[in-house]
Amino acid sequence: MTRASLDKQPHEVASMFDDVAENYDLTNDVLSLGQARLWRKEVAKAVHARPAEKVLDLAAGTATSSLPFAATGAYVVPCDFSIGMLQEGKRRNSWLPFTAGDATRLPFRDETFDAVTISFGLRNVQDTDAALRELYRVTKPGGRVVICEFSQPVWTPFRTVYTEYLMRALPPVARAVSSNPDAYVYLAESIRAWPDQAGLAALLQEAGWSKVAWRNLTGGVVALHRGVRA
């Protein structure tokens, strides 16, 4: 079994996701109590991809998150550093241009994309600041970023229950539905260690993004951050 550490060594994280690639989407649906599909819909609305636009979907995994962008007529590039995830995605949707890439050193030219997005992957990157700067670099002036990531529930009683779910209920559920339950223990720990809504907004601004704002989903369990490249 592979379990990444919170040091987020790229080879450890990539190997962990390689191990869970086949059942990753199903497991997410179960562990999120069906909310993952709702969150994906909200991301698609926020990105608002249009025909002929170029969209980078970073940490795309098997490209489940990429399909709504492609459906609009946009040219979407699913990018991930887990080869196992990319292979599983290619098996399912061979027509998409899957690309292997590290978020801190993206294999794209400056000012390539009209929109860049990453869902539930930023907290697994070793250097968050470098990733946000790389997203900025590959975005066209006037282009937009949308980040969907786990955050902090805003209602204190619910935040307590949620934290208990992450550390007590999630591991046994993961053991029942995942090929690598230890991976989900890491994911729960990484959620607890991640900045809150205002913290991530500040990181976006420091990376150069303007008009930074966020919107809470599911009471703040997830936050949708947006920004524009000047």
Side-chain angles (χ1 to χ4, degrees):
M1 293 295 183
T2 300
R3 181 180 182 277
S5 71
L6 285 178
D7 292 334
K8 303 175 187 175
Q9 294 300 320
H11 68 281
E12 291 183 355
V13 178
S15 178
M16 182 189 74
F17 280 104
D18 289 347
D19 284 351
V20 300
E22 185 175 356
N23 296 316
Y24 183 72
D25 295 318
L26 173 62
T27 305
N28 280 351
D29 280 341
V30 173
L31 294 179
S32 70
L33 307 178
Q35 292 296 295
R37 297 186 184 193
L38 170 65
W39 298 333
R40 282 196 293 271
K41 289 180 180 178
E42 293 303 318
V43 170
K45 290 179 185 176
V47 172
H48 192 53
R50 294 182 284 273
E53 281 193 329
K54 292 181 179 178
V55 177
L56 172 63
D57 188 13
L58 187 57
T62 61
T64 299
S65 57
S66 305
L67 294 175
F69 309 132
T72 69
Y75 178 79
V76 58
V77 178
C79 181
D80 204 289
F81 71 162
S82 165
I83 301 302
M85 284 285 199
L86 294 172
Q87 289 174 335
E88 179 63 21
K90 197 69 175 177
R91 186 184 68 79
R92 300 180 191 180
N93 298 288
S94 60
W95 53 277
L96 285 171
F98 288 90
T99 303
D102 184 334
T104 63
R105 296 185 300 275
L106 292 173
F108 307 109
R109 294 181 179 178
D110 295 357
E111 302 180 6
T112 297
F113 297 97
D114 298 284
V116 294
T117 183
I118 179 169
S119 294
F120 308 111
L122 189 59
R123 75 181 190 287
N124 297 318
V125 177
Q126 187 177 33
D127 189 337
T128 304
D129 295 332
L132 293 175
R133 289 194 299 270
E134 273 292 271
L135 286 171
Y136 187 90
R137 178 184 67 79
V138 301
T139 303
K140 296 177 182 178
R144 55 210 185 272
V145 63
V146 174
I147 297 172
C148 186
E149 189 53 89
F150 288 107
S151 197
Q152 296 294 322
V154 293
W155 189 45
T156 303
F158 177 59
R159 184 163 60 242
T160 302
V161 172
Y162 172 66
T163 302
E164 290 295 311
Y165 168 74
L166 280 178
M167 300 315 299
R168 294 189 182 186
L170 190 147
V173 173
R175 280 193 290 273
V177 299
S178 172
S179 58
N180 185 357
D182 281 349
Y184 288 88
V185 175
Y186 157 79
L187 291 173
E189 292 173 350
S190 70
I191 291 169
R192 293 184 67 182
W194 185 246
D196 63 10
Q197 291 88 328
L200 180 53
L203 293 179
L204 276 161
Q205 291 169 332
E206 290 169 9
W209 296 96
S210 62
K211 299 181 181 178
V212 173
W214 75 82
R215 179 163 65 90
N216 290 318
L217 303 177
T218 317
V221 169
V222 165
L224 208 57
H225 283 72
R226 290 161 292 164
V228 175
R229 174 171 176 171

